[in-house]
Amino acid sequence: MPTILITGCSSGFGLETAKLFLERGWDVIATMRTPAASLLPASDRLRVLALDVTDPASIAAAAASAGPVDVLVNNAGFGAPAPIELTDPETAQSLFQTNVIGTLAMIQAVLPQMRQRRAGVIVNVTSTVTVKTLPVIGVYRASKAAVNALSESLAVEVAPFGLRVHIVLPGRSPETRFGQNARPHLRGADDPDYAPLLQQFVKSVQEDTGPVTHAPDVAAAIWRAATDPAAPLRIPGGADAEIWMAEAGL
């Protein structure tokens, strides 16, 4: 069976994607910064590897241990809500190191064997915040928009080798730990100029009763990207994602 390697499998989209591909008979390499095989069903088709996408040595070790990979899913990432002016330089560096450089490093680690075999699919998970102008998450949006641009160029570069690249764009997913993990990076709540903007942003999120993205939605979008040669470059990962992308003409 084909082999898929997924980053960021300790929770949320990555964990749900690993479960889906296991259920459907694939060999799954689920990577996490702190491996916890107990999060997934026991299976002889499952390998759980340690991987920190910000650590070149960790990437090299995981790639060597993984061996040939048919599908690479770059899912690991995090968000940080803060006005651009107030975003800590360290936070900005971490956002780009994880979301952009980490994705690039994983592509560079896995792509050579795909190119040699003239077979493989790369799926980069970004966000529909990249298709709409939003305040407070500007640096996060920039990091995910950079992955979109990277993916678009990569798709053109590797198509002659028989390889495919897809971007899965989830919407807002309250059920995942994304918001919880982003909260420590919040800045500006005590700033007299930015506080009203932040309060309005938080209120709009809390009071939003429209469609949202569920982790199985994203797993299904990744399944489509991995298995459907006719899948488009950009694939929405939830009901709200479909709406936002349609409004953006994508």
Side-chain angles (χ1 to χ4, degrees), residues 151-164:
S151 305
E152 291 163 358
S153 293
L154 180 66
V156 175
E157 292 174 353
V158 301
F161 313 136
L163 311 184
R164 292 190 285 114

Side-chain angles (χ1 to χ4, degrees), residues 30-220:
T31 70
M32 314 171 188
R33 282 181 295 181
T34 304
S38 61
L39 294 172
L40 288 155
S43 173
D44 58 4
R45 291 181 286 99
L46 170 67
R47 282 186 285 165
V48 178
L49 299 181
L51 173 62
D52 180 347
V53 299
T54 68
D55 182 349
S58 178
I59 291 172
S65 179
V69 171
D70 298 290
V71 177
L72 167 66
V73 178
N74 286 304
N75 166 72
F78 78 100
I84 291 170
E85 179 186 348
L86 303 183
T87 301
D88 288 339
E90 295 82 3
T91 299
Q93 290 174 353
S94 294
L95 279 168
F96 275 80
Q97 187 66 43
T98 301
N99 297 351
V100 184
I101 305 303
T103 294
L104 172 62
M106 286 302 301
I107 291 169
Q108 291 177 332
V110 174
L111 180 54
Q113 48 94 358
M114 288 183 172
R115 178 164 54 87
Q116 184 176 26
R117 289 183 291 111
R118 292 300 198 260
V121 180
I122 295 172
V123 184
N124 295 328
V125 179
T126 65
S127 174
T128 47
V129 300
T130 59
V131 306
K132 181 181 289 192
T133 302
L134 295 168
V136 182
I137 53 171
V139 179
Y140 169 70
R141 287 185 68 235
S143 72
K144 288 299 190 178
V147 178
N148 288 350
L150 183 79
S151 305
E152 291 163 358
S153 293
L154 180 66
V156 175
E157 292 174 353
V158 301
F161 313 136
L163 311 184
R164 292 190 285 114
V165 176
H166 298 279
I167 310 167
V168 168
L169 298 93
R172 185 173 69 91
S173 188
E175 298 167 357
T176 68
R177 294 208 312 241
F178 184 85
Q180 175 186 333
N181 293 338
R183 203 165 294 123
H185 303 283
L186 178 67
R187 297 291 182 275
D190 56 353
D191 185 281
D193 287 331
Y194 285 114
L197 175 66
L198 279 161
Q199 292 166 1
Q200 180 57 43
F201 179 79
V202 172
K203 182 180 179 182
S204 67
V205 171
Q206 292 175 338
E207 295 182 353
D208 186 352
T209 58
V212 297
T213 291
H214 305 284
D217 300 331
V218 179

Side-chain angles (χ1 to χ4, degrees), residues 228-240:
D228 181 3
L233 172 65
R234 301 172 191 82
I235 304 173
D240 55 338

Side-chain angles (χ1 to χ4, degrees), residues 6 14-24 28 39-41:
I6 309 160
L15 181 59
E16 196 67 31
T17 300
K19 290 178 179 177
L20 177 66
F21 278 80
L22 270 177
E23 289 171 2
R24 297 186 178 178
V28 174
L39 294 172
L40 288 155

